[in-house]
Amino acid sequence: IDGGIFSKEDSVILGQFANLMAKFFQVSRNRKLLGEEFGRLKEQYLLRYAIVGESAAIKKCIGIAEKVADSKAAVLLTGESGTGKELFAHLIHDRGERQTNPFVSVSCGALPASILERELFGHEKGAFTGADSQKIGLFEAADTGTLFLDEIGELPMDMQVKLLRVIQEESFIRLGGTKTIQVNVRLVTATNRDLEKEVREGNFRQDLFYRINVIKLTLPPLREKIEDLPDLVSFFMKKHTPENQPLKKVSKSLIPHLMSYSWPGNIRELENSVERAIVLSDDEELTPEAFPFETSHLPIELNVGSTLKEAGDSFRKTFITNTLKSTSGNRTKAAKILDVQRSYLSRLIKELEID
């Protein structure tokens, strides 16, 4: 400042300042990288658990899920396989006050009863052969958050008793332990079975059913919200197209072709079909030929150029007509096959002018 030369003391101070600036820039760079990584992970999460669709049926389900999100009441998600029950479990968790707390998921049908018990409740060291250390269970891992029990209808009877106790007492004891552990867990369950029928047949405990069925949300199959199919196809194409490849175009005949199919595997089958078509098709445009249907579920012919509503109504009319033919006109049996209320089926028959 005064035009003099640097002293040794000045050099030391300047060196310390330079080190501080270097650390500052390193921290700033790390924060930027962390921010970018967080943004990337958040985008992947939203892509994985996004719920796509603008139909009245799906909007109704989303509205109910958002309404119960802040409640601690147990939610039972029902519907056919592939309708997106896990997506709605995440939606309920993410829109509620527990969103920053753990979300833990387990399939009750994927594990034997003995292993499932260890997974849910944990175990103490020496509780059984091979238990070399203490392990917390999924109930502990989900404390203050949400525990999602998929395929709850597959739960063995002895495990149903133990689960009921945890729900009632909000506590449990680890396998091989003596200490009671308190937990605060929001329980969301899912099944594609008719649990009321399982209760009547003695395969599912009635008291447990009442505990998990506080709020019931039934997700519609794809055939009942077929107007969402174009948005779903677009979403899955973006999701499964590699970053280094251009997005394929959709031919004019593809959507009517896809909307004419019954989609017994629902949204999961549609996603798999889109991913397979992207991988196997060498053309820049996806055509009906890229989506071969199983012979047991042949498509219903639709006229190209129909509006989405006309295509959806045509599909419903043909599908319901064929179902009624298979039941000799018995609406009660047809409603059971279609998994809808008889009153709803009668309304559809009137609206679609089915003879």
Side-chain angles (χ1 to χ4, degrees):
I1 297 174
D2 57 6
I5 61 174
F6 283 105
S7 66
K8 289 184 178 180
E9 184 179 354
D10 293 333
S11 298
V12 172
I13 294 174
L14 186 60
Q16 291 174 341
F17 176 76
N19 288 334
L20 286 173
M21 290 303 296
K23 290 181 180 179
F24 170 78
F25 286 118
Q26 182 64 39
V27 170
S28 297
R29 181 173 179 275
N30 290 340
R31 288 187 64 183
K32 181 182 178 181
L33 292 174
L34 285 173
E36 292 174 352
E37 179 67 9
F38 176 79
R40 185 181 67 81
L41 293 174
K42 183 178 180 181
E43 184 178 351
Q44 286 184 349
Y45 179 88
L46 293 175
L47 191 63
R48 181 177 180 182
Y49 298 113
I51 297 176
V52 179
E54 294 295 328
S55 64
I58 202 66
K59 282 185 174 181
K60 180 180 178 181
C61 291
I62 292 174
I64 295 173
E66 291 178 336
K67 189 173 184 180
V68 305
D70 280 329
S71 169
K72 193 185 175 182
V75 178
L76 174 62
L77 301 170
T78 64
E80 296 177 10
S81 179
T83 50
K85 292 184 282 294
E86 185 171 0
L87 297 183
F88 272 85
H90 276 277
L91 176 64
I92 292 169
H93 175 78
D94 294 338
R95 299 294 173 87
E97 58 186 15
R98 296 171 182 257
Q99 60 182 254
T100 57
N101 297 331
F103 178 93
V104 180
S105 173
V106 63
S107 173
C108 298
L111 299 171
S114 57
I115 297 179
L116 182 61
E117 182 177 6
R118 301 177 202 170
E119 290 296 312
L120 289 177
F121 309 125
H123 60 76
E124 299 289 350
K125 181 178 180 180
F128 51 87
T129 303
D132 300 326
S133 60
Q134 182 193 83
K135 178 185 176 182
I136 69 169
L138 298 182
F139 267 99
E140 281 181 87
D143 190 28
T144 72
T146 301
L147 178 60
F148 175 53
L149 299 181
D150 198 6
E151 299 182 38
I152 188 71
E154 307 288 337
L155 201 64
M157 190 63 72
D158 59 335
M159 283 299 299
Q160 292 181 29
V161 176
K162 294 173 183 177
L163 177 60
L164 177 63
R165 176 176 174 80
V166 178
I167 296 174
Q168 291 174 332
E169 305 295 333
E170 296 188 332
S171 64
F172 63 95
I173 298 175
R174 292 195 195 106
L175 194 64
T178 57
K179 179 183 176 182
T180 300
I181 300 170
Q182 298 288 331
V183 287
N184 173 16
V185 172
R186 169 67 177 285
L187 190 65
V188 179
T189 58
T191 184
N192 57 10
R193 290 190 177 190
D194 183 347
L195 286 189
E196 294 183 8
K197 180 181 178 182
E198 295 293 314
V199 169
R200 291 194 299 270
E201 295 178 352
N203 299 322
F204 200 86
R205 291 183 62 94
Q206 186 178 54
D207 45 8
L208 177 59
F209 173 70
Y210 290 144
R211 286 285 183 176
I212 65 174
N213 191 37
V214 178
I215 298 171
K216 183 178 180 180
L217 179 56
T218 300
L219 305 184
L222 181 55
R223 63 181 176 273
E224 289 184 10
K225 55 186 186 74
I226 200 69
E227 58 266 42
D228 287 334
L229 187 140
D231 289 337
L232 288 165
V233 170
S234 177
F235 176 80
F236 292 140
M237 287 181 65
K238 293 176 182 177
K239 179 179 178 180
H240 293 294
T241 298
E243 293 183 2
N244 60 344
Q245 294 182 14
L247 196 67
K248 293 181 183 292
K249 297 179 181 179
V250 176
S251 68
K252 292 182 179 179
S253 58
L254 178 59
I255 296 302
H257 174 75
L258 297 180
M259 291 182 72
S260 70
Y261 182 54
S262 61
W263 297 109
N266 294 295
I267 298 174
R268 184 182 296 121
E269 183 186 4
L270 175 62
E271 179 174 5
N272 292 341
S273 298
V274 172
E275 184 178 10
R276 180 176 61 249
I278 290 173
V279 172
L280 297 180
S281 177
D282 296 325
D283 300 327
E284 295 180 357
E285 185 179 65
L286 291 183
T287 63
E289 288 70 28
F291 292 83
F293 295 114
E294 296 292 336
T295 55
S296 58
H297 299 281
L298 288 175
I300 302 162
E301 292 298 327
L302 292 176
N303 294 324
V304 177
S306 301
T307 65
L308 291 181
K309 185 179 185 306
E310 289 171 343
D313 288 348
S314 179
F315 167 76
R316 287 191 176 93
K317 184 173 183 178
T318 305
F319 195 77
I320 292 173
T321 298
N322 291 343
T323 304
L324 286 169
K325 286 181 180 178
S326 70
T327 62
S328 300
N330 189 312
R331 294 189 179 186
T332 301
K333 290 182 179 179
K336 187 175 182 180
I337 292 172
L338 296 171
D339 195 24
V340 297
Q341 295 292 327
R342 190 183 186 282
S343 57
Y344 177 65
L345 176 60
S346 297
R347 188 165 72 251
L348 284 177
I349 292 172
K350 183 177 179 181
E351 291 175 358
L352 299 172
E353 298 180 349
I354 298 173
D355 297 330

